[in-house]
Amino acid sequence: MAILIISILFSLLWGLGNINNDLTQTILLQVRIPRMLEALLAGAGLTVAGHMFQTLLNNPLADSYTLGLASGATLGSGVAVAIGFSMIWIPLFSVVSSLISLGIVLTLTAIMSRGYPVRTLILSGIMIGALFNAVLYLIIEFNQKKLNSIVNYMFGGFASAEYYKVVYIAIVLLVTISILLSMISSIKLLQLGELRAKSLGLHVQFVTYIVLIIASIITAVIVAYVGVIGFIGMVIPQLVRRHFNHLNLRQQFILNMVIGAAIMISADWIGSIIIEPYQLPASIVLALFGIPVLFYIMVTEPRMYE
């Protein structure tokens, strides 16, 4: 929480100037506050979604990026823009496309897996993600005037943050995270294994699909408004699980939200000052830091990936 508060203060006040100046107040209220809030919500949401994917699928590499859901959500947004729908409808297309991606990935995994579902799941996600990116490229080529802005979705950031986007994302997160917290006991039972969970009276398939759908909705809505941001949903849950394994699932859930929000705000702030006056999207900053951290995790815990 201390790191989160510090990252918020840096994001809002760094190089701001005299707070009594009208221009300074406009920058703070109209630019920095919505940008900080959007980064906070996106970081918390993507990290929670990654935590749920990894917990349910028992796969440390599972997140919206590797499962192809982010690419599916981006494709849905691109199709909505190409057709000419307003911003109100874009998240709906994004959610539907993301859920279709999840369905395809799970179906391919069931068909392809021969005793190695963990490996096959990521392979299927990468394949579907690459396919959807190729389709999106073709759509952009045929609708360049309309879809040039969609290219920015491939490098998610918060430079175009606005209050209405913050409100929509906040509403979705409030509903979905409340549902997930109410299902924590059922998710805990899933960690015991399918047979044991069934013996305790849990409807395993129903709970699994509900949680996967909710995590996909979180991802899709965030991608629809801020673009594709990878690694945070993969790396943070692994680090939390590794260093705070004494905490229960609910505590890890909340800790993931707090750390994810702090990291995303910090990444956005670093991207805005590192090569001033140019700005790096938060997704680029996270990739630069996230890849070495992920490599460290894989090297120090090789058995987790066998």
Side-chain angles (χ1 to χ4, degrees):
M1 287 301 297
I3 294 172
L4 176 60
I5 292 170
I6 292 170
S7 65
I8 289 173
L9 292 176
F10 271 105
S11 175
L12 293 178
L13 303 177
W14 182 269
L16 187 61
N18 184 5
I19 194 66
N20 294 320
N21 184 280
D22 290 341
L23 178 60
T24 300
Q25 292 178 5
T26 300
I27 292 172
L28 178 63
L29 294 174
Q30 301 300 323
V31 179
R32 294 202 176 185
I33 289 179
R35 181 168 181 162
M36 180 276 297
L37 290 174
E38 198 170 273
L40 184 151
L41 294 172
L46 291 175
T47 307
V48 162
H51 182 213
M52 290 295 98
F53 286 131
Q54 292 179 17
T55 301
L56 283 182
L57 302 174
N58 193 28
N59 188 334
L61 292 178
D63 90 321
S64 59
Y65 198 74
T66 55
L67 291 175
L69 304 181
S71 298
T74 308
L75 177 61
S77 300
V79 170
V81 173
I83 294 173
F85 282 98
S86 65
M87 283 296 296
I88 297 175
W89 294 99
I90 289 177
L92 180 60
F93 275 78
S94 183
V95 169
V96 171
S97 184
S98 182
L99 293 177
I100 291 172
S101 303
L102 177 63
I104 294 172
V105 168
L106 294 177
T107 302
L108 284 178
T109 300
I111 295 171
M112 294 168 56
S113 61
R114 298 176 181 175
Y116 303 99
V118 170
R119 298 177 186 177
T120 310
L121 187 72
I122 298 301
L123 177 61
S124 301
I126 293 172
M127 287 167 50
I128 295 303
L131 174 63
F132 281 5
N133 286 336
V135 173
L136 180 63
Y137 178 81
L138 291 175
I139 294 174
I140 292 173
E141 280 295 306
F142 290 110
N143 298 270
Q144 290 188 9
K145 291 183 179 180
K146 284 186 177 180
L147 291 171
N148 276 336
S149 60
I150 293 296
V151 176
N152 296 328
Y153 276 60
M154 309 303 294
F155 307 99
F158 308 99
S160 61
E162 296 183 48
Y163 281 110
Y164 80 90
K165 296 180 181 180
V166 172
V167 171
Y168 290 153
I169 296 172
I171 291 172
V172 170
L173 287 186
L174 180 63
V175 174
T176 53
I177 287 175
S178 298
I179 295 172
L180 289 175
L181 284 172
S182 70
M183 297 179 68
I184 283 292
S185 299
S186 299
I187 298 171
K188 282 181 184 177
L189 292 180
L190 285 177
Q191 293 182 301
L192 300 175
E194 184 176 347
L195 293 177
R196 223 163 157 193
K198 282 183 177 179
S199 68
L200 293 171
L202 183 69
H203 196 312
V204 173
Q205 228 174 16
F206 176 77
V207 172
T208 301
Y209 285 143
I210 289 295
V211 176
L212 286 177
I213 288 171
I214 291 173
S216 300
I217 289 172
I218 292 173
T219 298
V221 171
I222 292 173
V223 169
Y225 286 117
V226 308
V228 178
I229 300 179
F231 294 102
I232 190 167
M234 186 191 306
V235 173
I236 301 301
Q238 289 189 53
L239 291 176
V240 169
R241 189 180 297 110
R242 179 173 181 175
H243 296 288
F244 300 95
N245 57 6
H246 60 283
L247 300 178
N248 61 42
L249 186 62
R250 185 183 298 273
Q251 292 169 329
Q252 288 186 11
F253 186 99
I254 295 171
L255 189 58
N256 271 297
M257 287 179 58
V258 174
I259 294 176
I263 294 297
M264 188 69 84
I265 293 172
S266 300
D268 183 53
W269 172 68
I270 291 170
S272 67
I273 67 165
I274 194 169
I275 53 172
E276 284 187 302
Y278 304 101
Q279 296 194 9
L280 288 177
S283 61
I284 302 299
V285 177
L286 286 172
L288 292 174
F289 287 98
I291 291 174
V293 172
L294 184 60
F295 180 73
Y296 165 75
I297 293 172
M298 293 176 68
V299 168
T300 54
E301 292 191 38
R303 290 183 182 180
M304 189 166 59
Y305 301 90
E306 290 177 358

